[in-house]
Amino acid sequence: MAVFLLLFLLLVSAVSGDEDAFIGVNIGTDISDMPSPTEVVALLKAQSIRYVRLYDADRAMLLALANTGIQVTVSVPNDQLLGIGQSNATAANWVARNIVAHVPATNITAIAVGSEVLNALPNAGPILVSALKFIHSALVASNLDSQIKVSTPHSSSIILDSFPPSQAFFNRSWDPVMVPLLKFLQSTGSYLMLNVYPYYDYIQSNGKIPLDYALFRPLPPNKEAVDVNTLLHYTNVFDAVVDAAYFAMSYLNFTNIPVVVTESGWPSKGDSSEPDAIVDNANTYNSNLIKHVLNKTGTPKHPRIAVSTYIYELYNEDLRTGSDSEKNWGLFDSNGIPVYTMHLTDAGTVFANDTTNQTFCVAKRGADPKMLQAALDWACGPGKVDCSPLLQGHPCYQPDNVVSHSTYAFNAYYQQMAKSPGTCDFKGVASITTTDPSHGSCRFPGSFGKNGTLFNGTSLAPSLNDTSSGCPRQYHGRSSSFTTSVIIGALLMGAVFL
């Protein structure tokens, strides 16, 4: 059994078809039970994540990342931007304290100055380029400018008329900032940092953007979006937004600045007004994004040119304000348990860890609750599954319903039987999935826990000498009402559910 996430990461430094792209992750910290820096780094290493972006320059995190080889983008937070943009000395002190003190042990390769400043802090727009220049000058003084690039992440919303991409341009009110900024990026060999969120493009399109187009799902040729000016075909929102940035730069006569996507992802959970913020869509988007980037597909405007991307984000951030989706962009919960297992078959690269065989057995959607209950009774009885985690007060008791409890029991049996053919059927009410059903502190057999530790389903099988009697009442779903005769009947049916 292999580790959940398959991120094998390579660096891009310029717009060149000869260079490879990388996938990195953002590490946010708005978490009530934030893992320690040591635990974060252990998870990164277990998942072969080689590129990270921090939203600050936290000393403890930078020390934990030392001697790992992981390439790090550190950030100047927006609340420090005004001071740095108005004082060369303040910028020099920031670089001395947060960069020079940590290199070369910590492999810092970029500094993100602010985050979406033109949207989030527009009054700082006039000093944004000064801040980049002051930071860069401090790097030059320390002979680090060739190793560490300086840029600033932008929201894609600063690009207007983004489709067709060939007509895109930056919001002209920001030309006094964008023109000198692009001159700076070009002169220092840096790149445009862009945050690309097809999820928001999709939900704000009022149905004009198909979900499949946002999720990188294959489209028939007649469903592809076509740029009427260039006749380039677009099969996904991500490429269209990136090319819009390239065309917007061309409009200002900058044609050789690469794009690095500093944030992209999809939420796995939302409130009632966000029906497409679900695990399956998050899994599909991020899995397809990784394959798209690492296959070096490029974009229609720049095929085979790397568009390296940082996934937003490593952990769910439960302290973020706003809708439920704001808290659920992470690949992992704060306890190190994956929110889902990504589908990365045919990603076109050699990965450090292969999870293509990581599968789980779950209750089918829409299955008859009575059939689920009977199968649950069998699994916890003759099936010899240890269903004690389903007891009230135990990790997997909630949600207290027959679908959730049967999913746990079905999967435990499937894992203890080494995923043998036919062991995930239960008379037609179960099916195999690659999405890890673990949630919160409930770790399913076959899943990976904190720092990538495998929870082996076979360890949950009770001994042949176990004296427990079948499936106690506490395991039953809340909505079920079964008599003793039904339970006895389930026990007598034996393997009929397999």
Side-chain angles (χ1 to χ4, degrees):
M1 184 67 66
V3 178
F4 146 75
L5 192 56
L6 308 179
L7 304 180
F8 190 76
L9 317 168
L10 302 169
L11 178 66
V12 59
S13 60
V15 177
S16 168
D18 297 329
E19 303 210 6
D20 290 322
F22 68 79
I23 286 286
V25 293
N26 290 276
I27 304 177
T29 57
D30 287 339
I31 302 170
S32 56
D33 187 21
M34 181 67 196
S36 70
T38 301
E39 290 172 327
V40 174
V41 171
L43 179 61
L44 297 174
K45 291 167 72 174
Q47 304 303 326
S48 299
I49 298 172
R50 306 300 301 164
Y51 300 83
V52 299
R53 175 184 171 219
L54 309 180
Y55 286 94
D56 51 23
D58 181 75
R59 180 176 181 273
M61 182 61 71
L62 290 174
L63 289 173
L65 286 162
N67 303 311
T68 63
I70 294 172
Q71 299 197 23
V72 183
T73 295
V74 299
S75 299
V76 175
N78 284 353
D79 60 5
Q80 299 179 29
L81 186 62
L82 287 173
I84 287 174
Q86 294 173 335
S87 169
N88 203 344
T90 301
N93 287 337
W94 190 94
V95 169
R97 184 174 64 255
N98 298 297
I99 306 298
V100 176
H102 295 282
V103 296
T106 303
N107 189 13
I108 299 172
T109 57
I111 301 173
V113 180
S115 178
E116 299 188 348
V117 173
L118 302 185
N119 298 85
L121 198 65
N123 63 311
I127 56 89
L128 177 60
V129 176
S130 294
L132 270 71
K133 288 181 176 179
F134 288 160
I135 292 287
H136 182 259
S137 295
L139 293 175
V140 171
S142 299
N143 199 29
L144 292 173
D145 55 302
S146 61
Q147 172 189 335
I148 301 173
K149 302 300 181 185
V150 181
S151 188
T152 182
H154 295 285
S155 164
S156 62
S157 66
I158 69 167
I159 304 170
L160 303 183
D161 289 348
S162 58
F163 202 91
S166 61
Q167 294 181 189
F169 57 92
F170 294 117
N171 186 329
R172 287 171 183 151
S173 66
W174 287 118
D175 279 1
V177 176
M178 291 305 298
V179 171
L181 171 63
L182 294 173
K183 285 181 179 178
F184 169 82
L185 298 179
Q186 185 177 63
S187 67
T188 60
S190 190
Y191 38 79
L192 182 74
M193 292 179 170
L194 188 67
N195 296 342
V196 178
Y197 284 105
Y199 172 73
Y200 291 123
D201 294 321
Y202 165 71
I203 64 173
Q204 294 167 6
S205 72
N206 295 318
K208 294 180 181 178
I209 294 178
L211 181 60
D212 287 348
Y213 184 60
L215 294 175
F216 293 93
R217 285 178 176 149
L219 297 172
N222 65 333
K223 296 293 185 181
E224 294 176 356
V226 180
D227 187 321
V228 295
N229 300 312
T230 62
L231 299 184
L232 294 174
H233 286 236
Y234 288 87
T235 61
N236 60 81
V237 174
F238 180 90
D239 282 353
V241 174
V242 172
D243 270 1
Y246 280 127
F247 278 108
M249 286 191 286
S250 296
Y251 184 86
L252 296 176
N253 298 315
F254 295 92
T255 59
N256 60 348
I257 299 173
V259 171
V260 169
V261 174
T262 35
E263 294 179 12
S264 194
W266 196 283
S268 62
K269 183 181 178 182
D271 56 33
S272 59
S273 66
E274 302 171 297
D276 295 296
I278 59 175
V279 165
D280 284 348
N281 287 345
N283 192 341
T284 298
Y285 180 81
N286 282 324
S287 297
N288 287 338
L289 172 64
I290 291 171
K291 288 185 283 188
H292 185 70
V293 169
L294 295 184
N295 282 349
K296 296 181 285 188
T297 309
T299 66
K301 178 173 171 58
H302 289 303
R304 297 177 301 280
I305 289 178
V307 183
S308 296
T309 301
Y310 291 84
I311 292 177
Y312 185 82
E313 56 185 331
L314 185 63
Y315 295 111
N316 281 334
E317 294 185 273
D318 63 309
L319 297 182
R320 289 187 63 85
T321 58
S323 64
D324 284 353
S325 65
E326 284 297 311
K327 311 172 192 294
N328 289 282
W329 291 80
L331 301 174
F332 293 86
D333 289 323
S334 61
N335 55 16
I337 296 174
V339 177
Y340 48 85
T341 302
M342 288 201 273
H343 312 306
L344 294 174
T345 307
D346 302 323
T349 186
V350 177
F351 294 107
N353 302 294
D354 181 7
T355 68
T356 55
N357 289 322
Q358 189 173 6
T359 55
F360 304 87
C361 184
V362 298
K364 281 185 178 179
R365 288 185 181 179
D368 185 330
K370 292 183 178 180
M371 292 293 296
L372 288 175
Q373 185 68 61
L376 169 61
D377 293 338
W378 183 90
C380 294
K384 296 190 180 297
V385 167
D386 177 8
C387 292
S388 60
L390 301 176
L391 289 170
Q392 187 169 3
H394 288 241
C396 300
Y397 175 70
Q398 294 290 351
D400 179 21
N401 59 62
V402 70
V403 174
S404 178
H405 285 196
S406 60
T407 288
Y408 181 90
F410 293 173
N411 181 67
Y413 182 82
Y414 175 66
Q415 301 293 337
Q416 78 182 34
M417 297 304 291
K419 305 180 185 179
S420 301
T423 58
C424 181
D425 181 66
F426 293 91
K427 208 173 182 181
V429 296
S431 62
I432 293 172
T433 181
T434 55
T435 300
D436 188 345
S438 298
H439 53 88
S441 61
C442 177
R443 298 176 295 208
F444 274 53
S447 175
F448 289 89
K450 201 163 191 177
N451 303 331
T453 303
L454 172 64
F455 290 89
N456 192 335
T458 58
S459 67
L460 298 180
S463 164
L464 292 176
N465 296 321
D466 196 320
T467 59
S468 61
S469 56
C471 181
R473 183 69 190 177
Q474 296 98 315
Y475 301 142
H476 294 178
R478 181 188 301 138
S479 61
S480 298
S481 176
F482 275 78
T483 64
T484 303
S485 61
V486 173
I487 297 174
I488 293 174
L491 299 181
L492 293 176
M493 278 188 271
V496 73
F497 290 102
L498 299 181

